[in-house]
Amino acid sequence: MQDRRESDERSMPELPEVEITRRGIAPVLRRRTVTAVTVRNPRLRWRVPAGLAATLLGTRIRAVRRRAKYLLLDCGTGTLIVHLGMSGSLRLVGAGEPPGPYDHFDLGVGDLTLRLRDPRRFGAVLWHTGDPARHPLLAHLGVEPLSPAFTGQLLHAATRGRRVAIKQALMDHKVVVGVGNIYASES
């Protein structure tokens, strides 16, 4: 039987969906100040840190980046790391819009709210001070498939000496990040 984490990784939104989410929220959130934080259910894949609201209130979002399938909101003093899990999504809604039953986390920026909806609660909302690339979830990730570093030579070298099907190699986040079941099957 597969490790739960490994089987979950194969069902998550693919990298293009996460990148589209980043591109949609980045221009709206960039340079905005966090005015409200609501944690309705801290029991996601990893518990939402206690005191996150106090940490985030008043911080300014400098940038919204992506590393693999993680969204990174640079708040200057640290980084809010968001993962959509298997069924999560982020929505920008009006500040007064009532939450639904699967809306677990809100990040308010004035008249707008970034809302995490995650019916299966495999998503994550984490806080990290320092270089986000050193966070344990990000530190051992492979190359980004859309970066100049991802080459045929790199992929060839990464698959030498391995006794695994090419689909499994492509889905190994230590080789290349963000490739899920759909794109690996198509490849």
Side-chain angles (χ1 to χ4, degrees):
M1 184 159 149
Q2 291 176 328
D3 176 57
R4 182 179 127 185
R5 224 172 321 148
E6 184 180 320
S7 65
D8 291 350
E9 186 71 28
R10 295 194 177 120
S11 302
M12 292 178 195
E14 304 267 354
L15 185 132
E17 288 82 13
V18 179
E19 179 61 19
I20 287 169
T21 299
R22 186 200 68 77
R23 290 180 185 188
I25 66 174
V28 176
L29 297 180
R30 195 174 316 132
R31 296 185 294 279
R32 301 282 301 261
T33 300
V34 177
T35 56
V37 176
T38 304
V39 179
R40 284 181 205 82
N41 187 349
R43 294 182 330 262
L44 299 177
R45 185 176 207 162
W46 299 284
R47 191 175 257 314
V48 176
L52 184 61
T55 300
L56 288 173
L57 284 174
T59 62
R60 186 176 206 98
I61 299 170
R62 295 179 175 185
V64 180
R65 297 183 179 93
R66 179 193 54 74
R67 177 68 174 113
K69 295 180 187 179
Y70 295 91
L71 293 165
L72 310 173
L73 282 65
D74 177 354
C75 297
T77 58
T79 302
L80 187 67
I81 301 172
V82 179
H83 195 285
L84 301 177
M86 293 175 71
S87 57
S89 63
L90 288 173
R91 294 174 167 79
L92 285 165
V93 299
E97 184 170 319
Y102 304 116
D103 295 338
H104 305 300
F105 176 80
D106 286 356
L107 183 72
V109 290
D111 60 339
L112 290 173
T113 298
L114 180 68
R115 179 166 286 162
L116 173 65
R117 175 172 291 164
D118 188 2
R120 298 179 75 184
R121 292 193 343 235
F122 285 127
V125 176
L126 304 167
W127 178 252
H128 183 74
T129 56
D131 180 2
R134 296 175 94 73
H135 187 280
L137 294 171
L138 307 177
H140 303 290
L141 293 175
V143 67
E144 291 280 340
L146 304 177
S147 75
F150 185 64
T151 63
Q153 293 83 8
L154 179 123
L155 187 58
H156 181 265
T159 58
R160 298 304 93 194
R162 295 180 66 144
R163 299 184 65 74
V164 64
I166 190 66
K167 179 179 177 182
Q168 302 318 111
L170 290 173
M171 291 175 58
D172 182 347
H173 63 272
K174 292 177 183 169
V175 174
V176 59
V177 300
V179 179
N181 194 41
I182 294 169
Y183 288 109
S185 293
E186 292 298 316
S187 296

